[in-house]
Amino acid sequence: MPIDISEFANEPATNFNEPASAQTMRDALVQAQREFGKEYPLLIGGEPIKTGQKIRSLNPSNPKDVVGIVQRATVAHAEQALAAATVAFGDERDGPGWRWTPAEVRAKYALRAAAAMRRRRCELNAWLILEAGKSWNEADGDVAEAIDFCEFYAREALRYDGAQPVGRVPGEKTELFYLPLGVGVVIPPWNFPFAILTGMTVAAWVTGNTVVLKPSSETPIIAVKFMEVMDEIGLPPGVVNLVTGPGCEVGDHLVADPRTRFVAFTGSREVGLHVVEQAAVHRPGQRWIKRVIAEMGGKNATIIDDESDLDAAVDGVALAAYGFQGQKCSACSRAIVAASVHDRFVERLAARIQEITVGPVSDMRHWMGPVISERQLKSVQKYIDIGRGEGRVVCGGKRISTDGFFLEPTLVADVEPKARIAQEEIFGPVCAVLKANSFEEALQIANGTEYGLTGAVFSNNRQHLERARREFFVGNLYLNRKSSGALVSGHPFGGFNMSGTDSKAGGRDYLSHFLQAKSVAERL
């Protein structure tokens, strides 16, 4: 039976100003904290497995809290997971494997997953708040995006399964259809540990592939909650297999194994390039060129023109630079400001930053929370120290509390385009301000890094906006709005250059990366 499905619409945000919604969220946080310290197994072929060594996930707002304990998998477990995924995918003959499951059935599973996530929304929000350090609104946006991915990819799977347009050839019947690739490895990041994990994993299995999922060791409990949703909707065993463990051991083995057909990765430039290099090597018994779908971060710039609404620009930069502590690949890391408005902009942005509340995000009053870990804290502090030598720290720059990994939102002005803090991804609450003497120079500075993910321009000059549309070399460009906050379907997401393969998550071509096209011609 064909699915009667409505037109896609983005999931609305939860309004936590409503007392009932706020109370539900507080109750979910209390319940999640009651479950702190619980141990969770690997899930391979539907079977729970425990190992000798463990990984403890900590609450970055209070690292004394053990959010949960997961297993430290070995290469042997990676082998077991690949074997389970291979069996679940099915052989090349028509049979019971997932590859032969009709698209309508796979789409229904995705829609069920979306419905389950809606029911559990505040519960999932709570784990994001406590394990990833997201504010209430940031956590809610993460879950809403995961729901959007399930809904959108369900519809896209049906579209890809339908009749595809091909040219007519006299005397022949011509057709083109899509086949799944096989067993894939999904490696999501810690900064969007539910949305991106869901998007990549559901995209893989809704197109008929099976998955070995290796989440970040910083946020493994959220991955466990995703697996609970998969179990709730009745996804067959082996379609998704959860393996928690270090990337240098388990991740490398999964990427290199000849049974792996594709890798979906989101993370740092360094790890992403390593994944690409490892996947490119042909191993004995490997029958294909592995496909890599990669998103690897950015050094995003917002241009503030001399003909712009400064208040709107200040708000856009503040939200994009310091939302979720700047730990977004789309975060505004550079503000490139026209010389004539530079001083006024810096003064207003500094005043806006002073309004940001920082603290444990289980309390809704705190807009900015901790960075993810002590290692990340030290990395960002190192860049702040570098910034002191490369520019002028206007505000921020200090650690707030030793109880959690909290940093002040930091603004560094008088930065040169080739300075390290203007070139390297910091992934923390730090924004560099650079001065431009013309719009042309602003574009040159904006394009002057090896990345090309997101960018924004604030201007009331139509010629400048049109020039940015053509020349600002990023995968996602925003005009007169902030550079973060891409919505599924409306803002297909992915970048150029060292920002990844520009695979456009949440867009109409995304599922094609998990499929291979077959053309068939029959002479009549």
Side-chain angles (χ1 to χ4, degrees), residues 3 6 39 83 89 94 109 147 191 214 271 285 323 348 381 404 421 435 490 524:
I3 301 177
S6 61
E39 184 175 342
F89 181 64
D94 194 5
Y109 277 113
I147 295 169
N191 66 326
K214 198 218 81 67
V271 177
R348 292 189 194 183
Q381 286 177 314
I421 63 167
K435 187 183 295 184
L524 301 174

Side-chain angles (χ1 to χ4, degrees), residues 152-349:
F152 184 71
Y153 292 154
R155 290 159 171 80
E156 285 294 287
L158 296 175
R159 183 173 68 84
Y160 275 95
D161 188 60
Q164 304 300 314
V166 291
R168 292 184 178 181
V169 177
E172 292 185 357
K173 176 186 176 184
T174 57
E175 60 180 327
L176 182 142
F177 52 89
Y178 290 96
L179 302 171
L181 294 174
V183 174
V185 173
V186 172
I187 306 174
W190 52 258
N191 66 326
F192 282 84
F194 196 70
I196 293 179
L197 180 153
T198 297
M200 294 194 297
T201 306
V202 172
W205 63 247
V206 81
T207 46
N209 306 287
T210 54
V211 174
V212 178
L213 171 60
K214 198 218 81 67
S216 168
S217 295
E218 303 286 7
T219 51
I221 308 305
I222 294 165
V224 169
K225 297 302 166 182
F226 172 82
M227 293 300 292
E228 289 179 1
V229 172
M230 297 302 96
D231 181 64
E232 182 178 336
I233 66 173
L235 197 69
V239 173
V240 182
N241 303 274
L242 177 66
V243 177
T244 49
C248 59
E249 181 180 349
V250 174
D252 281 359
H253 185 83
L254 291 170
V255 170
D257 193 281
R259 287 167 291 186
T260 297
R261 179 64 179 84
F262 66 92
V263 181
F265 167 85
T266 300
S268 71
R269 170 192 180 277
E270 291 72 24
V271 177
L273 289 178
H274 177 70
V275 167
V276 170
E277 291 166 359
Q278 291 296 305
V281 178
H282 178 265
R283 265 85 180 184
Q286 185 176 314
R287 300 172 58 190
W288 39 65
I289 299 171
K290 292 177 183 175
R291 191 176 293 179
V292 177
I293 306 106
E295 197 273 279
M296 306 190 313
K299 189 65 180 175
N300 313 298
T302 297
I303 294 174
I304 295 91
D305 195 11
D306 54 6
E307 300 179 57
S308 65
D309 181 337
L310 276 191
D311 289 335
V314 164
D315 199 47
V317 170
L319 292 171
Y322 305 108
F324 186 41
Q325 298 77 268
Q327 298 176 128
K328 299 180 182 180
C329 53
S330 59
C332 173
S333 190
R334 298 176 294 155
I336 303 169
V337 188
S340 62
V341 298
H342 174 274
D343 293 350
R344 279 185 289 152
F345 175 81
V346 171
E347 181 181 356
R348 292 189 194 183
L349 181 58

Side-chain angles (χ1 to χ4, degrees), residues 105-188:
V105 175
R106 290 184 263 114
K108 285 179 180 177
Y109 277 113
L111 296 175
R112 287 180 203 150
M117 291 172 190
R118 281 192 198 93
R119 289 192 298 270
R120 301 176 65 163
R121 186 160 176 169
C122 280
E123 174 199 350
L124 297 169
N125 287 349
W127 290 105
L128 286 162
I129 290 164
L130 297 168
E131 188 178 39
K134 294 206 164 193
S135 68
W136 286 27
N137 287 328
E138 291 283 355
D140 190 65
D142 197 312
V143 177
E145 187 175 14
I147 295 169
D148 283 350
F149 279 133
C150 293
E151 291 279 355
F152 184 71
Y153 292 154
R155 290 159 171 80
E156 285 294 287
L158 296 175
R159 183 173 68 84
Y160 275 95
D161 188 60
Q164 304 300 314
V166 291
R168 292 184 178 181
V169 177
E172 292 185 357
K173 176 186 176 184
T174 57
E175 60 180 327
L176 182 142
F177 52 89
Y178 290 96
L179 302 171
L181 294 174
V183 174
V185 173
V186 172
I187 306 174

